[in-house]
Amino acid sequence: MTRHCFVLFSQDGSRAAKAFSRVRCVLRGLDFKTYIIFLTIVPIFILGVYLHGQKLTYFLRPLWESPPKPFQTLPHYYHHNASMETLCSLHGWTHRESPRRVFDAVLFSNEVDMLTIRWKELYPYVTQFVVLESNSTFTGLPKPLVFAANRDKFDFVEPRLTYGNIGGRFKRGENPFVEEAYQRIALDQLIGLAGIQEDDLLIMSDVDEIPSAHTINLLRWCDGYPPVLHLQLKNYLYSFEYYLDNKSWRASVHRYKPGKTRYAHFRRGDTLLADAGWHCSFCFRRISEFVFKMKAYSHNDRVRFSHYLNPKRIQDVVCRGTDLFDMLPEEHTFREIIGKLGPIPRSYSAVHLPGHLIENAESYMYLLPGNCVRDTYHSVRDGSRAAKAFSRVRCVLRGLDFKTYIIFLTIVPIFILGVYLHGQKLTYFLRPLWESPPKPFQTLPHYYHHNASMETLCSLHGWTHRESPRRVFDAVLFSNEVDMLTIRWKELYPYVTQFVVLESNSTFTGLPKPLVFAANRDQFDFVEPRLTYGNIGGRFKRGENPFVEEAYQRIALDQLIGLAGIQEDDLLIMSDVDEIPSAHTINLLRWCDGFPPVLHLQLKNYLYSFEYYLDNKSWRASVHRYKPGKTRYAHFRRGDTLLADAGWHCSFCFRRISEFVFKMKAYSHNDRVRFSHYLNPKRIQDVVCRGTDLFDMLPEEHTFREIIGKLGPIPRSYSAVHLPGHLIEKAESYKYLLPGNCVRDSG
């Protein structure tokens, strides 16, 4: 057949003829069964590519596309009690004598709610609001002038409003980005008519990309940042229940230059200010608005099948947190793609969201946790998960000959050595096969904004407001964490009735240690009138299970809490020193009735400093309504209810390398120090600066997706926004806990 095909090829020199001849030669050599298989498989393959080809190309994206040039990310510092002079200084900028003017300019389609939330957030600091709308979409569809029809809803900005509308060109089939550019040019002209001048600030972002008010106020009052500054926004999808990541960067603030500054929505500089607001994409009240947006926006080519626009499907997608266009994550590494596969995990936090949203939560429940059902459809199942089964493979060695035995005797020692060095990693990686995840908590959404009244906040949580607040007792076992205890007590000081602290002269592992709190008691004189302090002698039983000594010390702490004068229904905070509840969380629980008698607190999890944000899975901290004879101090799960986003857990957050060494040898999990070189100071310093694991462990997760998603160093966070107030106010003293300061004291 090969020779015959060669003859055919040589008879006609055209490429088409050669290709046809080759196919004909191949088909002649196939029998009937092969024809049937060929005619079955090829159509299935073509159909598979048609349906899922986009997923394959997106999954293989790391092979054919390099990630974009990274931004230079500026750390962002903020606390509502910090002065503007302090905040400018922390950023390395200078404080101005008077603030700049600010112009906020947007292209408007139909996002009435989102524009209201945006303008209410920015209202105190914006000089002029500029809005342009068109009577056609970017894809050439006609649309009503929605803003004009709803202008009365925005009467609060009317004295500062510059509004314009234009007629679209209605060129169906044209690249949508051409129409988008046309409208942005028109917006440029409208900004000029609004009276913008040189060095005024111009916010360029879509309606749903909302800078935080304190970010804009910071930029009004400071000098020293670049003329074009992109804003890193928290990325949400469908509502503030589905937090994606912090990779939204298109929003930007420009120091206006006449004749040079042009309104755009792409990258214009290399500098990014961390944690500067929120991007809530496809955050609509009505299903019809989803359908309109999917057909109208510049990426409408993603609607590859008409059933994507089916209202019942859209409702189901929103409630499951999956993708409207059935796309894979748009990432540039396999780790990130795999880590984001599947539905978006629910977030129950409504803490530090736009103020108007929280103050008027009843009007915007669809944007808040637990309210996925949109107008029109009311009976959609809420997110069933597909079960995954894993089979175990057993290999039996039978009938080995002499050569196989030699190979076996060579490989087995290598295998044993590998298990000795990396067995923990293997067992942790395979953990999803042999250990089920713990019973999930019932997570309560948490609402807070510093301008909201306590009556409003209690009501939003479904609780009642008390006539007077409860007393609060904060009790801790202390080892050597002087800085962390200071930050904790400064945070909680306004609301705690009595601070209770117990220390021992031995560690949980039986090592002797000095009474550090007693030696540094003068540093805590601000709590002295409310302080109950005690110390005990450790039993120094080396080799005993560390959790036995830990339990012994917690029993002693129970007794000390009683001596501090706690009474029935007082609040008792049970958490380690580095598990810090936020002040507003404790104040909420003081003033409200209706929450469970045992309430665990979901804390943001940091490692080494507030530069390395891990996740929000810290849950051991808890608040108890005290019951004499029943409430016992503990550090394990005591209930099934978790309050979202209630503080911070900063683990191994030490100033000195010697403190890392001490903690690694002293705490209850000291068995993780499997090799002596783990305690080498140079290694510890290197690990801290790379954001890797001190014990060379894999992530302690229960699904392969989560394990793979967390492999490698912890991504750096440049946000110091809404951290404990004392930390920000005294940032110069705690630089090692803030972004960009990984080097520790060698002592």
Side-chain angles (χ1 to χ4, degrees):
M1 185 175 75
T2 303
R3 184 179 301 166
H4 177 61
C5 288
F6 176 77
V7 172
L8 285 173
F9 293 159
S10 64
Q11 290 174 354
D12 189 335
S14 69
R15 291 183 179 179
K18 289 181 180 180
F20 176 76
S21 299
R22 178 175 292 177
V23 172
R24 186 170 58 182
C25 289
V26 172
L27 292 177
R28 281 180 178 176
L30 301 179
D31 58 18
F32 180 74
K33 289 183 179 180
T34 309
Y35 270 116
I36 296 299
I37 294 171
F38 183 78
L39 293 175
T40 303
I41 291 176
V42 169
I44 293 174
F45 174 77
I46 293 172
L47 179 62
V49 170
Y50 176 65
L51 294 175
H52 302 292
Q54 180 268 345
K55 290 183 179 178
L56 180 64
T57 57
Y58 267 67
F59 187 78
L60 297 178
R61 190 176 190 177
L63 300 180
W64 53 265
E65 184 177 310
S66 299
K69 177 184 176 183
F71 282 95
Q72 176 195 355
T73 307
L74 303 182
H76 188 176
Y77 303 88
Y78 171 71
H79 191 272
H80 63 271
N81 287 334
S83 69
M84 194 54 67
E85 291 87 346
T86 298
L87 293 175
C88 289
S89 175
L90 283 172
H91 290 83
W93 305 333
T94 56
H95 183 253
R96 293 169 56 90
E97 293 184 0
S98 60
R100 290 183 177 86
R101 301 196 308 165
V102 179
F103 286 67
D104 181 39
V106 293
L107 287 177
F108 182 81
S109 176
N110 65 338
E111 314 97 322
V112 173
D113 283 358
M114 203 55 62
L115 187 64
T116 305
I117 292 168
R118 177 195 183 97
W119 282 359
K120 287 285 187 178
E121 175 74 10
L122 299 178
Y123 180 81
Y125 308 122
V126 170
T127 309
Q128 196 73 9
F129 295 93
V130 184
V131 61
L132 176 74
E133 68 175 333
S134 170
N135 64 352
S136 75
T137 70
F138 294 159
T139 54
L141 299 174
K143 79 169 192 67
L145 296 176
V146 178
F147 184 91
N150 290 274
R151 188 161 178 168
D152 59 317
K153 294 182 179 180
F154 301 98
D155 56 3
F156 66 97
V157 303
E158 193 65 45
R160 309 184 205 169
L161 178 63
T162 300
Y163 168 71
N165 61 69
I166 57 172
R169 296 174 303 151
F170 297 101
K171 293 189 177 181
R172 297 293 297 274
E174 185 180 55
N175 186 328
F177 291 99
V178 175
E179 175 67 23
E180 182 175 346
Y182 165 68
Q183 294 189 24
R184 294 194 190 277
I185 291 170
L187 182 55
D188 256 336
Q189 298 170 344
L190 192 63
I191 292 166
L193 294 174
I196 197 168
Q197 298 174 10
E198 185 165 2
D199 206 43
D200 288 342
L201 293 184
L202 174 60
I203 304 171
M204 297 186 190
S205 69
D206 286 352
V207 170
D208 57 7
E209 297 168 338
I210 306 174
S212 58
H214 67 79
T215 297
I216 299 306
N217 196 31
L218 177 76
L219 300 179
R220 293 168 71 227
W221 278 103
C222 301
D223 273 329
Y225 52 85
V228 176
L229 186 62
H230 282 271
L231 304 181
Q232 181 192 63
L233 308 182
K234 291 179 178 176
N235 231 343
Y236 296 87
L237 189 63
Y238 310 141
S239 73
F240 292 97
E241 182 169 19
Y242 295 111
Y243 173 64
L244 270 170
D245 52 42
N246 63 351
K247 295 183 178 181
S248 180
W249 55 264
R250 292 182 182 274
S252 57
V253 176
H254 299 241
R255 298 213 312 267
Y256 191 77
K257 297 291 181 185
K260 293 185 178 180
T261 303
R262 291 286 180 265
Y263 197 98
H265 197 236
F266 51 81
R267 183 162 175 170
R268 304 290 292 277
D270 294 328
T271 311
L272 185 72
L273 180 63
D275 197 0
W278 315 269
H279 179 192
C280 200
S281 186
F282 281 87
C283 291
F284 299 121
R285 186 187 293 271
R286 301 173 186 84
I287 295 294
S288 58
E289 294 173 306
F290 285 86
V291 175
F292 176 80
K293 173 71 176 279
M294 293 169 75
K295 295 191 294 184
Y297 86 139
S298 300
H299 296 286
N300 72 321
D301 58 306
R302 293 176 176 176
V303 184
R304 294 181 295 126
F305 307 106
S306 60
H307 76 272
Y308 282 8
L309 301 174
N310 182 294
K312 290 185 179 180
R313 174 190 177 271
I314 292 171
Q315 178 62 88
D316 183 58
V317 164
V318 170
C319 278
R320 288 188 293 115
T322 52
D323 192 85
L324 280 170
F325 304 99
D326 197 24
M327 293 171 62
L328 290 191
E330 298 184 72
E331 300 293 347
H332 292 87
T333 70
F334 289 115
R335 171 190 167 185
E336 291 174 311
I337 292 173
I338 294 172
K340 285 188 175 181
L341 290 177
I344 305 166
R346 280 181 164 81
S347 166
Y348 295 88
S349 172
V351 174
H352 300 303
L353 294 181
H356 180 72
L357 172 63
I358 300 302
E359 293 159 15
N360 297 274
E362 290 300 322
S363 301
Y364 300 109
M365 291 306 290
Y366 75 96
L367 290 174
L368 295 168
N371 300 281
C372 68
V373 177
R374 295 301 190 258
D375 287 0
T376 303
Y377 288 90
H378 302 285
S379 57
V380 180
R381 67 182 184 273
D382 190 0
S384 61
R385 297 181 179 178
K388 295 183 179 179
F390 295 94
S391 60
R392 298 180 180 177
V393 179
R394 293 181 300 173
C395 296
V396 179
L397 299 176
R398 295 178 179 176
L400 300 180
D401 57 18
F402 179 73
K403 288 183 179 179
T404 309
Y405 273 113
I406 296 299
I407 296 171
F408 184 78
L409 293 174
T410 303
I411 292 176
V412 167
I414 297 173
F415 175 76
I416 293 173
L417 178 63
V419 170
Y420 175 66
L421 294 175
H422 304 292
Q424 180 272 341
K425 291 183 179 178
L426 180 64
T427 55
Y428 269 65
F429 186 78
L430 297 178
R431 191 177 190 180
L433 300 181
W434 53 265
E435 183 177 310
S436 299
K439 176 185 176 182
F441 282 95
Q442 177 194 355
T443 306
L444 303 182
H446 187 176
Y447 304 88
Y448 172 71
H449 190 272
H450 64 272
N451 287 334
S453 70
M454 193 53 66
E455 291 87 345
T456 298
L457 293 175
C458 289
S459 175
L460 284 172
H461 290 84
W463 304 335
T464 57
H465 184 252
R466 294 168 56 90
E467 292 184 0
S468 61
R470 290 183 178 86
R471 300 196 308 164
V472 179
F473 286 68
D474 181 36
V476 293
L477 287 177
F478 182 81
S479 176
N480 64 339
E481 314 97 322
V482 173
D483 283 359
M484 202 55 63
L485 186 63
T486 304
I487 293 168
R488 177 195 183 97
W489 282 358
K490 287 285 188 178
E491 176 74 10
L492 298 178
Y493 180 81
Y495 308 123
V496 169
T497 309
Q498 197 73 10
F499 296 94
V500 185
V501 61
L502 176 75
E503 67 175 335
S504 170
N505 64 352
S506 75
T507 70
F508 294 158
T509 56
L511 299 174
K513 79 169 193 68
L515 296 176
V516 178
F517 184 90
N520 292 274
R521 187 162 177 166
D522 60 319
Q523 295 187 28
F524 301 98
D525 56 3
F526 65 97
V527 302
E528 193 65 45
R530 310 184 204 168
L531 178 64
T532 300
Y533 167 72
N535 61 70
I536 57 173
R539 296 175 302 155
F540 298 102
K541 292 188 177 182
R542 297 292 298 276
E544 185 179 55
N545 186 329
F547 291 99
V548 175
E549 175 67 23
E550 182 175 346
Y552 165 68
Q553 294 189 25
R554 294 193 189 279
I555 291 170
L557 182 55
D558 256 335
Q559 297 169 346
L560 192 62
I561 292 166
L563 294 174
I566 197 167
Q567 299 174 8
E568 184 165 1
D569 206 43
D570 288 341
L571 294 184
L572 174 60
I573 304 172
M574 298 186 190
S575 69
D576 285 352
V577 170
D578 58 6
E579 298 168 338
I580 306 175
S582 58
H584 67 78
T585 297
I586 299 305
N587 195 32
L588 176 76
L589 300 180
R590 291 169 72 228
W591 278 103
C592 301
D593 273 330
F595 55 88
V598 177
L599 186 61
H600 282 271
L601 304 181
Q602 181 192 62
L603 308 182
K604 291 178 178 177
N605 232 343
Y606 297 87
L607 190 63
Y608 310 142
S609 73
F610 292 96
E611 182 169 19
Y612 295 111
Y613 173 66
L614 272 170
D615 52 41
N616 64 350
K617 295 184 179 180
S618 179
W619 54 264
R620 293 183 182 273
S622 56
V623 176
H624 299 242
R625 299 211 314 266
Y626 190 77
K627 298 292 181 185
K630 293 185 178 180
T631 304
R632 291 287 180 263
Y633 198 97
H635 197 237
F636 50 81
R637 183 164 176 169
R638 303 292 293 276
D640 295 329
T641 311
L642 185 71
L643 181 64
D645 197 1
W648 316 269
H649 179 193
C650 198
S651 187
F652 281 88
C653 292
F654 299 121
R655 186 186 292 270
R656 302 172 186 86
I657 295 293
S658 58
E659 294 173 304
F660 284 88
V661 175
F662 175 80
K663 174 71 176 279
M664 293 168 76
K665 294 191 293 184
Y667 86 138
S668 301
H669 297 287
N670 72 322
D671 58 309
R672 294 176 176 176
V673 185
R674 295 179 296 124
F675 306 106
S676 60
H677 76 273
Y678 283 7
L679 302 174
N680 182 291
K682 290 184 179 179
R683 175 189 177 272
I684 292 171
Q685 179 62 85
D686 181 60
V687 164
V688 170
C689 279
R690 288 189 294 115
T692 53
D693 192 84
L694 280 170
F695 305 99
D696 198 23
M697 294 170 61
L698 289 192
E700 299 183 68
E701 299 292 346
H702 292 87
T703 69
F704 290 114
R705 170 189 169 185
E706 291 174 312
I707 291 172
I708 294 172
K710 285 188 174 181
L711 290 178
I714 306 166
R716 280 182 163 82
S717 166
Y718 295 88
S719 171
V721 173
H722 299 303
L723 295 181
H726 180 70
L727 172 63
I728 300 304
E729 292 160 16
K730 302 293 183 182
E732 288 301 321
S733 300
Y734 300 111
K735 280 291 190 183
Y736 74 97
L737 289 174
L738 296 169
N741 299 279
C742 68
V743 177
R744 296 298 190 263
D745 290 351
S746 58

